[in-house]
Amino acid sequence: MTSVKSICCIGAGYVGGPTMAVIAKKCPHIKVTVVDMNEARIAAWNDPDTENIPVYEPGLSDVVAEARGRNLFFSTEVDDAIRDAEMIFISVNTPTKTYGSGKGMGADLKYIELCARQIARVSTTDKIIVEKSTLPVRTAEVLRDILQNVGNGVKFQILSNPEFLAEGTAVEDLFSPDRVLIGGDYTDEGLKAIESLVEVYANWIPRERILTTNVWSSELSKLVANAFLAQRISSINAISELCEKTEADINEVARAIGTDSRIGSKFLKASVGFGGSCFQKDILNLVYISRSFGLKEVADYWEQVIIMNDHQKRRFALNIVRNLYNTVSGKKIAFLGWAFKKDTNDTRESAAIYVADLLLNEQAVVKVYDPKVEPKQVYADLDYLETRQPAANANGVACYEDPYEACKDTHAIAVLTEWDEFKTYDWQRIYDNMLKPAKIFDGRNILNAAELKAIGFQVRSIGVTN
Ligand SMILES: NC(=O)c1ccc[n+]([C@@H]2O[C@H](COP(=O)([O-])OP(=O)(O)OC[C@H]3O[C@@H](n4cnc5c(N)ncnc54)[C@H](O)[C@@H]3O)[C@@H](O)[C@H]2O)c1
Ligand SMILES: O=c1ccn([C@@H]2O[C@H](COP(=O)(O)OP(=O)(O)O[C@H]3O[C@H](CO)[C@@H](O)[C@H](O)[C@H]3O)[C@@H](O)[C@H]2O)c(=O)[nH]1
């Protein structure tokens, strides 16, 4: 078997970009071409100043600077890149369907299908196709059906290689993953394809951390991993509400249970609710698949994780309204953070969007500061909900480059993202410039409540009785 020398990745997004940049860095002998139909995105990946690449991830611009132009290329010439590659990763978006059957639940596979048809149409040599996108279990069957029936007689092997990186730590996660998962057919050809991909990763990842399975286990494991992670957050958030009634402290409870090695301490941070492009979408997908097989109890069990998360976001927003004497009409509320977690500029499904939406319904004025999110993204996120006219969102929300300006003259501050810099602010200065009583709703439990109270703030944390 010959080693792979040229890789193409379709989709230059949050996964395709960083993943391929790291493969290119770690495998200088492999030519890696990342293609996308979005010209602006490709232009940004090719920006001479790597600080301007379209995905903000700590350490990523250095990786791109090292490999780009050497063996890493970004291009809109999708056909050429497909034709030249021996191995093609499909890393396009697989959002929740917004129309037709499965609306609001199932995965929309139209971008995946388009990729398969394009690959089948232009390929003139045998290729290994790697599912990098998160897909419903048995999608490889769909790909195979299209590739075998539309193609020019060339042979395709299909692998599933889901990505487990988390945003904000993408580079770290790609350099040193807990595991890499590769699923393929247990035929001679399938096993050869699996080994080709194992060989790519083995350039920097110990072989014992590269797991191989059948293709269906691999596809399903990705959905299950996200469901388990999100389930922990919904579980701790459910208990946070009980803590608020009982004088138990959720931080103490999390520490107490997390020291049990069978439970473990990670992903037990109570919050305003999880966001991000993956958890909700992938659980809905799992629920939809289970339901489509008639597994009602299984579907209902996992759906509860989403129901609890929606409740947590709403509960946080309503708590602000209640504490501001049941009316926030015309009141200014500062949002510290808009991204769905720290160290990323990604806002997809961020809790901030839903909290803002509810407060805008109550006619509050929302003043947003986020160190990495552009104002136009904030408005786009709210407009996407179609709750009100864009002009009303523009009227109700103001974005600031300076956190002190965002907090000035407000009735309350809500912490929506756990950016480290929020902990380092001059909180006395912020207090002095606010309306009194000055209130803080810490949706991430990152601020020192005792210090803030000593300054004079009224502080509401998640899962703590006030
Ligand atoms: N974001 C994450 O942290 C993360 C982590 C693990 C897995 N995933 C999964 O990876 C996949 C990609 O996620 P993402 O966050 O990178 O999405 P994204 O929206 O950031 O990027 C997808 C890109 O694919 C491009 N694209 C779509 N169809 C195309 C086509 N036919 N030809 C060329 N380009 C095309 C789009 O223009 C877009 O730039 C999804 O299935 C997601 O569930 C995401
Ligand atoms: O204890 C916790 C941990 C996380 N969160 C929130 O949960 C969301 C998701 O966080 P995280 O999982 O760290 O980021 P993602 O980038 O969404 O990564 C998840 O989704 C990816 C896409 O599928 C997977 O690849 C990753 O393994 C999986 O962690 C964010 O809003 C976090 O603030 C909490 O509220 N409490």
mmCIF file of all heavy atoms in Angstrom, residues 115-144:
data_model
loop_
_atom_site.group_PDB
_atom_site.id
_atom_site.type_symbol
_atom_site.label_atom_id
_atom_site.label_comp_id
_atom_site.label_asym_id
_atom_site.label_seq_id
_atom_site.Cartn_x
_atom_site.Cartn_y
_atom_site.Cartn_z
ATOM 1 N N CYS A 115 -21.782 17.291 -2.403
ATOM 2 C CA CYS A 115 -20.349 16.921 -2.446
ATOM 3 C C CYS A 115 -20.183 15.563 -3.125
ATOM 4 O O CYS A 115 -19.319 15.388 -3.985
ATOM 5 C CB CYS A 115 -19.766 16.823 -1.045
ATOM 6 S SG CYS A 115 -19.529 18.387 -0.256
ATOM 7 N N ALA A 116 -21.032 14.608 -2.721
ATOM 8 C CA ALA A 116 -20.905 13.253 -3.276
ATOM 9 C C ALA A 116 -21.102 13.292 -4.787
ATOM 10 O O ALA A 116 -20.352 12.672 -5.544
ATOM 11 C CB ALA A 116 -21.925 12.329 -2.620
ATOM 12 N N ARG A 117 -22.100 14.048 -5.228
ATOM 13 C CA ARG A 117 -22.368 14.109 -6.672
ATOM 14 C C ARG A 117 -21.211 14.770 -7.412
ATOM 15 O O ARG A 117 -20.843 14.361 -8.517
ATOM 16 C CB ARG A 117 -23.678 14.862 -6.935
ATOM 17 C CG ARG A 117 -24.882 14.058 -6.509
ATOM 18 C CD ARG A 117 -26.210 14.720 -6.830
ATOM 19 N NE ARG A 117 -27.286 13.880 -6.321
ATOM 20 C CZ ARG A 117 -27.776 12.811 -6.942
ATOM 21 N NH1 ARG A 117 -27.301 12.469 -8.137
ATOM 22 N NH2 ARG A 117 -28.724 12.082 -6.402
ATOM 23 N N GLN A 118 -20.655 15.810 -6.786
ATOM 24 C CA GLN A 118 -19.541 16.508 -7.435
ATOM 25 C C GLN A 118 -18.311 15.595 -7.517
ATOM 26 O O GLN A 118 -17.640 15.531 -8.546
ATOM 27 C CB GLN A 118 -19.210 17.776 -6.633
ATOM 28 C CG GLN A 118 -18.297 18.733 -7.364
ATOM 29 C CD GLN A 118 -18.355 20.119 -6.739
ATOM 30 O OE1 GLN A 118 -18.997 20.329 -5.702
ATOM 31 N NE2 GLN A 118 -17.678 21.084 -7.346
ATOM 32 N N ILE A 119 -18.057 14.873 -6.432
ATOM 33 C CA ILE A 119 -16.905 13.953 -6.419
ATOM 34 C C ILE A 119 -17.101 12.884 -7.498
ATOM 35 O O ILE A 119 -16.184 12.579 -8.275
ATOM 36 C CB ILE A 119 -16.754 13.290 -5.024
ATOM 37 C CG1 ILE A 119 -16.355 14.317 -3.972
ATOM 38 C CG2 ILE A 119 -15.718 12.168 -5.078
ATOM 39 C CD1 ILE A 119 -16.444 13.815 -2.526
ATOM 40 N N ALA A 120 -18.310 12.340 -7.548
ATOM 41 C CA ALA A 120 -18.588 11.272 -8.520
ATOM 42 C C ALA A 120 -18.409 11.802 -9.948
ATOM 43 O O ALA A 120 -17.875 11.115 -10.814
ATOM 44 C CB ALA A 120 -20.007 10.755 -8.322
ATOM 45 N N ARG A 121 -18.857 13.024 -10.157
ATOM 46 C CA ARG A 121 -18.832 13.597 -11.505
ATOM 47 C C ARG A 121 -17.416 13.844 -12.007
ATOM 48 O O ARG A 121 -17.094 13.553 -13.161
ATOM 49 C CB ARG A 121 -19.638 14.903 -11.498
ATOM 50 C CG ARG A 121 -19.833 15.557 -12.850
ATOM 51 C CD ARG A 121 -20.858 16.691 -12.788
ATOM 52 N NE ARG A 121 -20.703 17.619 -11.673
ATOM 53 C CZ ARG A 121 -19.785 18.579 -11.595
ATOM 54 N NH1 ARG A 121 -18.930 18.754 -12.577
ATOM 55 N NH2 ARG A 121 -19.730 19.362 -10.539
ATOM 56 N N VAL A 122 -16.548 14.354 -11.139
ATOM 57 C CA VAL A 122 -15.237 14.806 -11.655
ATOM 58 C C VAL A 122 -14.112 13.793 -11.449
ATOM 59 O O VAL A 122 -13.047 13.936 -12.062
ATOM 60 C CB VAL A 122 -14.810 16.179 -11.063
ATOM 61 C CG1 VAL A 122 -15.878 17.220 -11.302
ATOM 62 C CG2 VAL A 122 -14.470 16.077 -9.596
ATOM 63 N N SER A 123 -14.321 12.773 -10.624
ATOM 64 C CA SER A 123 -13.204 11.866 -10.313
ATOM 65 C C SER A 123 -12.844 10.982 -11.506
ATOM 66 O O SER A 123 -13.724 10.425 -12.163
ATOM 67 C CB SER A 123 -13.568 10.960 -9.132
ATOM 68 O OG SER A 123 -13.692 11.733 -7.977
ATOM 69 N N THR A 124 -11.542 10.862 -11.715
ATOM 70 C CA THR A 124 -11.089 9.970 -12.797
ATOM 71 C C THR A 124 -10.168 8.871 -12.249
ATOM 72 O O THR A 124 -9.729 8.005 -12.993
ATOM 73 C CB THR A 124 -10.332 10.772 -13.877
ATOM 74 O OG1 THR A 124 -9.376 11.600 -13.219
ATOM 75 C CG2 THR A 124 -11.287 11.632 -14.695
ATOM 76 N N THR A 125 -9.856 8.949 -10.927
ATOM 77 C CA THR A 125 -9.027 7.898 -10.306
ATOM 78 C C THR A 125 -9.686 7.454 -8.996
ATOM 79 O O THR A 125 -10.499 8.192 -8.428
ATOM 80 C CB THR A 125 -7.617 8.434 -9.966
ATOM 81 O OG1 THR A 125 -7.771 9.637 -9.201
ATOM 82 C CG2 THR A 125 -6.799 8.725 -11.216
ATOM 83 N N ASP A 126 -9.336 6.264 -8.498
ATOM 84 C CA ASP A 126 -9.918 5.738 -7.259
ATOM 85 C C ASP A 126 -9.612 6.677 -6.082
ATOM 86 O O ASP A 126 -8.527 7.263 -6.026
ATOM 87 C CB ASP A 126 -9.333 4.349 -6.942
ATOM 88 C CG ASP A 126 -9.723 3.331 -8.004
ATOM 89 O OD1 ASP A 126 -10.548 3.688 -8.880
ATOM 90 O OD2 ASP A 126 -9.198 2.204 -7.966
ATOM 91 N N LYS A 127 -10.562 6.760 -5.163
ATOM 92 C CA LYS A 127 -10.367 7.694 -4.041
ATOM 93 C C LYS A 127 -10.929 7.143 -2.744
ATOM 94 O O LYS A 127 -11.866 6.330 -2.748
ATOM 95 C CB LYS A 127 -11.077 9.016 -4.327
ATOM 96 C CG LYS A 127 -10.542 9.679 -5.584
ATOM 97 C CD LYS A 127 -10.939 11.103 -5.742
ATOM 98 C CE LYS A 127 -10.559 11.640 -7.104
ATOM 99 N NZ LYS A 127 -9.136 11.559 -7.414
ATOM 100 N N ILE A 128 -10.346 7.626 -1.653
ATOM 101 C CA ILE A 128 -10.894 7.332 -0.331
ATOM 102 C C ILE A 128 -11.679 8.571 0.105
ATOM 103 O O ILE A 128 -11.138 9.686 0.098
ATOM 104 C CB ILE A 128 -9.764 7.046 0.684
ATOM 105 C CG1 ILE A 128 -8.985 5.802 0.248
ATOM 106 C CG2 ILE A 128 -10.337 6.880 2.085
ATOM 107 C CD1 ILE A 128 -7.720 5.550 1.045
ATOM 108 N N ILE A 129 -12.942 8.373 0.450
ATOM 109 C CA ILE A 129 -13.790 9.491 0.880
ATOM 110 C C ILE A 129 -13.938 9.405 2.400
ATOM 111 O O ILE A 129 -14.311 8.359 2.935
ATOM 112 C CB ILE A 129 -15.195 9.408 0.227
ATOM 113 C CG1 ILE A 129 -15.078 9.217 -1.286
ATOM 114 C CG2 ILE A 129 -16.039 10.617 0.587
ATOM 115 C CD1 ILE A 129 -14.339 10.302 -2.009
ATOM 116 N N VAL A 130 -13.651 10.506 3.073
ATOM 117 C CA VAL A 130 -13.683 10.505 4.535
ATOM 118 C C VAL A 130 -14.805 11.421 5.021
ATOM 119 O O VAL A 130 -14.781 12.626 4.756
ATOM 120 C CB VAL A 130 -12.339 10.995 5.118
ATOM 121 C CG1 VAL A 130 -12.348 10.866 6.638
ATOM 122 C CG2 VAL A 130 -11.171 10.233 4.520
ATOM 123 N N GLU A 131 -15.758 10.848 5.729
ATOM 124 C CA GLU A 131 -16.804 11.680 6.349
ATOM 125 C C GLU A 131 -16.189 12.347 7.580
ATOM 126 O O GLU A 131 -15.929 11.687 8.584
ATOM 127 C CB GLU A 131 -17.969 10.815 6.840
ATOM 128 C CG GLU A 131 -18.716 10.033 5.794
ATOM 129 C CD GLU A 131 -19.770 9.109 6.427
ATOM 130 O OE1 GLU A 131 -19.716 8.855 7.658
ATOM 131 O OE2 GLU A 131 -20.611 8.622 5.684
ATOM 132 N N LYS A 132 -15.975 13.650 7.497
ATOM 133 C CA LYS A 132 -15.477 14.392 8.663
ATOM 134 C C LYS A 132 -16.641 15.124 9.332
ATOM 135 O O LYS A 132 -16.668 15.300 10.552
ATOM 136 C CB LYS A 132 -14.361 15.354 8.203
ATOM 137 C CG LYS A 132 -13.719 16.199 9.255
ATOM 138 C CD LYS A 132 -13.183 15.415 10.403
ATOM 139 C CE LYS A 132 -11.733 15.073 10.384
ATOM 140 N NZ LYS A 132 -11.360 14.290 11.610
ATOM 141 N N SER A 133 -17.623 15.527 8.520
ATOM 142 C CA SER A 133 -18.831 16.137 9.084
ATOM 143 C C SER A 133 -19.497 15.159 10.039
ATOM 144 O O SER A 133 -19.322 13.947 9.920
ATOM 145 C CB SER A 133 -19.837 16.463 7.973
ATOM 146 O OG SER A 133 -19.339 17.403 7.083
ATOM 147 N N THR A 134 -20.289 15.702 10.958
ATOM 148 C CA THR A 134 -21.086 14.854 11.850
ATOM 149 C C THR A 134 -22.351 14.439 11.113
ATOM 150 O O THR A 134 -23.092 15.296 10.621
ATOM 151 C CB THR A 134 -21.457 15.645 13.119
ATOM 152 O OG1 THR A 134 -20.253 16.081 13.735
ATOM 153 C CG2 THR A 134 -22.258 14.790 14.089
ATOM 154 N N LEU A 135 -22.601 13.138 11.053
ATOM 155 C CA LEU A 135 -23.679 12.642 10.193
ATOM 156 C C LEU A 135 -24.539 11.629 10.918
ATOM 157 O O LEU A 135 -24.070 10.943 11.827
ATOM 158 C CB LEU A 135 -23.057 11.966 8.962
ATOM 159 C CG LEU A 135 -22.245 12.910 8.081
ATOM 160 C CD1 LEU A 135 -21.431 12.126 7.076
ATOM 161 C CD2 LEU A 135 -23.166 13.890 7.382
ATOM 162 N N PRO A 136 -25.807 11.516 10.494
ATOM 163 C CA PRO A 136 -26.646 10.474 11.087
ATOM 164 C C PRO A 136 -26.066 9.107 10.768
ATOM 165 O O PRO A 136 -25.453 8.928 9.708
ATOM 166 C CB PRO A 136 -27.988 10.647 10.360
ATOM 167 C CG PRO A 136 -27.929 11.944 9.654
ATOM 168 C CD PRO A 136 -26.502 12.303 9.477
ATOM 169 N N VAL A 137 -26.280 8.161 11.700
ATOM 170 C CA VAL A 137 -25.759 6.823 11.445
ATOM 171 C C VAL A 137 -26.418 6.271 10.178
ATOM 172 O O VAL A 137 -27.605 6.429 9.964
ATOM 173 C CB VAL A 137 -25.968 5.914 12.685
ATOM 174 C CG1 VAL A 137 -27.430 5.826 13.091
ATOM 175 C CG2 VAL A 137 -25.426 4.516 12.420
ATOM 176 N N ARG A 138 -25.618 5.692 9.333
ATOM 177 C CA ARG A 138 -25.934 5.063 8.043
ATOM 178 C C ARG A 138 -25.831 6.024 6.858
ATOM 179 O O ARG A 138 -26.198 5.690 5.725
ATOM 180 C CB ARG A 138 -27.298 4.344 8.056
ATOM 181 C CG ARG A 138 -27.289 3.204 9.073
ATOM 182 C CD ARG A 138 -28.097 2.010 8.716
ATOM 183 N NE ARG A 138 -27.636 1.254 7.561
ATOM 184 C CZ ARG A 138 -26.791 0.224 7.626
ATOM 185 N NH1 ARG A 138 -26.222 -0.135 8.758
ATOM 186 N NH2 ARG A 138 -26.486 -0.444 6.534
ATOM 187 N N THR A 139 -25.249 7.210 7.072
ATOM 188 C CA THR A 139 -25.089 8.131 5.949
ATOM 189 C C THR A 139 -24.106 7.580 4.915
ATOM 190 O O THR A 139 -24.224 7.857 3.722
ATOM 191 C CB THR A 139 -24.609 9.514 6.449
ATOM 192 O OG1 THR A 139 -25.544 9.994 7.398
ATOM 193 C CG2 THR A 139 -24.505 10.517 5.305
ATOM 194 N N ALA A 140 -23.137 6.802 5.373
ATOM 195 C CA ALA A 140 -22.150 6.262 4.427
ATOM 196 C C ALA A 140 -22.849 5.476 3.316
ATOM 197 O O ALA A 140 -22.373 5.410 2.186
ATOM 198 C CB ALA A 140 -21.144 5.383 5.155
ATOM 199 N N GLU A 141 -24.008 4.897 3.680
ATOM 200 C CA GLU A 141 -24.781 4.143 2.690
ATOM 201 C C GLU A 141 -25.263 5.076 1.572
ATOM 202 O O GLU A 141 -25.234 4.726 0.391
ATOM 203 C CB GLU A 141 -25.976 3.535 3.401
ATOM 204 C CG GLU A 141 -26.723 2.550 2.583
ATOM 205 C CD GLU A 141 -26.919 1.273 3.374
ATOM 206 O OE1 GLU A 141 -25.915 0.728 3.860
ATOM 207 O OE2 GLU A 141 -28.063 0.855 3.523
ATOM 208 N N VAL A 142 -25.717 6.270 1.979
ATOM 209 C CA VAL A 142 -26.196 7.260 1.002
ATOM 210 C C VAL A 142 -25.034 7.652 0.083
ATOM 211 O O VAL A 142 -25.165 7.697 -1.142
ATOM 212 C CB VAL A 142 -26.718 8.522 1.740
ATOM 213 C CG1 VAL A 142 -27.156 9.588 0.742
ATOM 214 C CG2 VAL A 142 -27.848 8.155 2.687
ATOM 215 N N LEU A 143 -23.901 7.936 0.702
ATOM 216 C CA LEU A 143 -22.725 8.334 -0.089
ATOM 217 C C LEU A 143 -22.362 7.236 -1.086
ATOM 218 O O LEU A 143 -22.109 7.496 -2.255
ATOM 219 C CB LEU A 143 -21.529 8.600 0.831
ATOM 220 C CG LEU A 143 -21.576 9.882 1.665
ATOM 221 C CD1 LEU A 143 -20.301 10.011 2.480
ATOM 222 C CD2 LEU A 143 -21.720 11.091 0.763
ATOM 223 N N ARG A 144 -22.353 6.005 -0.577
ATOM 224 C CA ARG A 144 -21.948 4.893 -1.437
ATOM 225 C C ARG A 144 -22.902 4.754 -2.627
ATOM 226 O O ARG A 144 -22.475 4.585 -3.765
ATOM 227 C CB ARG A 144 -21.930 3.590 -0.625
ATOM 228 C CG ARG A 144 -21.409 2.408 -1.436
ATOM 229 C CD ARG A 144 -21.201 1.179 -0.590
ATOM 230 N NE ARG A 144 -20.236 1.406 0.471
ATOM 231 C CZ ARG A 144 -20.437 1.132 1.754
ATOM 232 N NH1 ARG A 144 -21.576 0.623 2.144
ATOM 233 N NH2 ARG A 144 -19.503 1.356 2.651
#
